[in-house]
Amino acid sequence: MKYKYLFGPVPSRRLGMSLGVDLIPHKTCSLNCIYCEAGRTLTLTTERREWHPTDAIIAEIDDYLSGSPELDIITFSGAGEPTLHSGFGRIAGYIREHFPGYPLALLTNSVTMPDQNVRQDLLHCNLVLPSLDAASQEVFEKINRPAKGVDIGKIIEGLIAFREEFEREIWLEVFLLRGINDGPDELDRLHDAISRIEPDRVQLNTLDRPGTVDWVSPMPQGEMQRIVKQWDDLPVEIIARFSLSDRHVDAAQDLDDRILGLIRRRPCTVEDISAALGVPEKELLGEIKQMIRDNRIDTQILDRGTFYKIPD
């Protein structure tokens, strides 16, 4: 079966070898974050509906997991907000019932957390990784550029309610951008909000891949260390880069399709692609050069190296 809604497995900096489940059409999201590695949001919405057929997603999951692949985790992520899919609870529940050996994780921008139905669906997960980049509406709108009517105060209250309902792990990600949410007032507001949410971990992140806009700047490592010390009463850590794994994945799919399937979700260096696909870099470079000549891949040079992405 050729998979439309599954991608990977890919090495995750936080989760290990992860099979991705993409429930939402490309760049359908309730936010249009300035740092998003998947590019600008094409459909900005808070509508929760069956964006892709639930039965088709379950069929792919059933086919793939029936082969007992070696995975650390199954992650609901992709290039859109997973909780906007109204069938999320049914899909996650199916995996929990039929393939209980695989833990489930969810990456979410937290916008749907005020919805009690969403929070109920998330109880199927073993780990939830919500985001909170700001605690004031002004900074929230500057960084995350939400759909109309989205209120950061309600999001924070939704996260607090979810903490009371969810007995498993919550790892809260805070994406720091120099000169935007690193001022003392916003950091104090974030600290207060996080203290009320009580996540198991607070993970500080910053720009590592190309963002949606070219004027955003990553936080220097020293500044992030300063915030760790400032928030010493919280379980805070800086997210480290993923160490390349020596595990390999099924190479049956055509290499160019596998490369495109990976960078369609996020720009990658050749090292990232090699680690994700289990293909030596030398073998990849020839394929990538041809794909560039065919205008199927574009490049962007940053401090960490050359990133390959889908052309704009």
Side-chain angles (χ1 to χ4, degrees):
M1 175 183 288
K2 189 169 184 178
Y3 302 113
K4 183 177 179 181
Y5 309 112
L6 306 184
F7 61 97
V10 295
S12 164
R13 287 186 293 175
R14 292 182 278 183
L15 304 177
M17 192 59 71
S18 169
L19 176 69
V21 183
D22 197 350
L23 303 180
I24 302 294
H26 183 73
K27 287 309 298 172
T28 297
C29 194
S30 45
L31 301 179
N32 183 22
C33 300
I34 60 176
Y35 60 78
C36 185
E37 61 190 24
R40 66 181 180 87
T41 294
L42 302 176
T43 303
L44 185 63
T45 182
T46 57
E47 181 184 9
R48 194 168 192 241
R49 64 178 177 86
E50 192 179 27
W51 290 92
H52 292 311
T54 300
D55 289 340
I57 296 169
I58 289 175
E60 286 195 8
I61 290 169
D62 194 64
D63 181 81
Y64 189 87
L65 296 183
S66 293
S68 301
E70 181 187 359
L71 303 170
D72 294 315
I73 203 160
I74 297 170
T75 307
F76 294 96
S77 57
E81 171 52 40
T83 63
L84 291 179
H85 196 292
S86 57
F88 178 87
R90 183 181 160 207
I91 295 165
Y94 181 87
I95 300 173
R96 285 294 298 272
E97 179 181 356
H98 295 274
F99 303 97
Y102 295 106
L104 300 181
L106 166 75
L107 274 63
T108 176
N109 64 22
S110 306
V111 169
T112 57
M113 281 295 182
D115 187 334
Q116 187 175 8
N117 293 324
V118 171
R119 299 199 305 270
Q120 185 68 30
D121 285 348
L122 301 193
L123 298 182
H124 292 294
C125 294
N126 301 89
L127 169 64
V128 174
L129 300 96
S131 295
L132 184 69
D133 304 327
S136 67
Q137 189 69 22
E138 179 184 1
V139 177
F140 172 58
E141 291 184 1
K142 187 171 185 178
I143 295 175
N144 302 118
R145 301 188 297 189
K148 185 177 180 180
V150 177
D151 182 88
I152 191 61
K154 292 181 180 178
I155 291 174
I156 292 170
E157 293 302 320
L159 286 165
I160 293 168
F162 182 60
R163 172 75 285 177
E164 295 173 353
E165 300 159 354
F166 189 69
E167 298 180 354
R168 302 184 184 96
E169 292 277 302
I170 298 175
W171 298 357
L172 185 71
E173 180 180 357
V174 180
F175 203 98
L176 295 169
L177 294 169
R178 195 174 192 177
I180 303 179
N181 60 347
D182 60 339
D185 290 344
E186 193 62 26
L187 289 176
D188 285 347
R189 293 188 189 100
L190 274 168
H191 177 275
D192 291 345
I194 295 167
S195 297
R196 296 173 64 207
I197 295 166
E198 299 183 344
D200 298 280
R201 299 187 190 183
V202 181
Q203 299 187 317
L204 305 185
N205 201 355
T206 195
L207 204 64
D208 184 46
R209 303 171 187 266
T212 304
V213 298
D214 56 12
W215 52 265
V216 293
S217 300
M219 283 283 287
Q221 188 77 359
E223 287 299 299
M224 296 183 75
Q225 292 286 1
R226 178 184 62 80
I227 294 169
V228 171
K229 293 179 181 178
Q230 182 179 335
W231 289 358
D232 61 357
D233 59 323
L234 298 174
V236 62
E237 62 188 5
I238 296 171
I239 299 175
R241 291 180 186 170
F242 184 83
S243 298
L244 297 184
S245 171
D246 61 357
R247 280 181 287 181
H248 296 278
V249 295
D250 185 1
Q253 192 177 353
D254 289 342
L255 182 56
D256 58 347
D257 286 343
R258 294 167 62 205
I259 293 170
L260 290 172
L262 187 63
I263 66 172
R264 186 171 290 116
R265 268 91 184 180
R266 63 199 66 183
C268 295
T269 65
V270 67
E271 293 87 355
D272 297 332
I273 299 170
S274 176
L277 302 184
V279 178
E281 291 181 25
K282 289 184 178 179
E283 183 178 339
L284 286 171
L285 285 171
E287 189 73 19
I288 288 171
K289 288 178 181 177
Q290 183 59 51
M291 296 171 77
I292 292 172
R293 287 193 290 268
D294 294 340
N295 295 319
R296 302 175 71 195
I297 283 182
D298 203 354
T299 61
Q300 184 170 356
I301 298 175
L302 296 179
D303 290 342
R304 190 159 76 83
T306 299
F307 285 81
Y308 301 102
K309 63 178 186 175
I310 299 297
D312 296 331

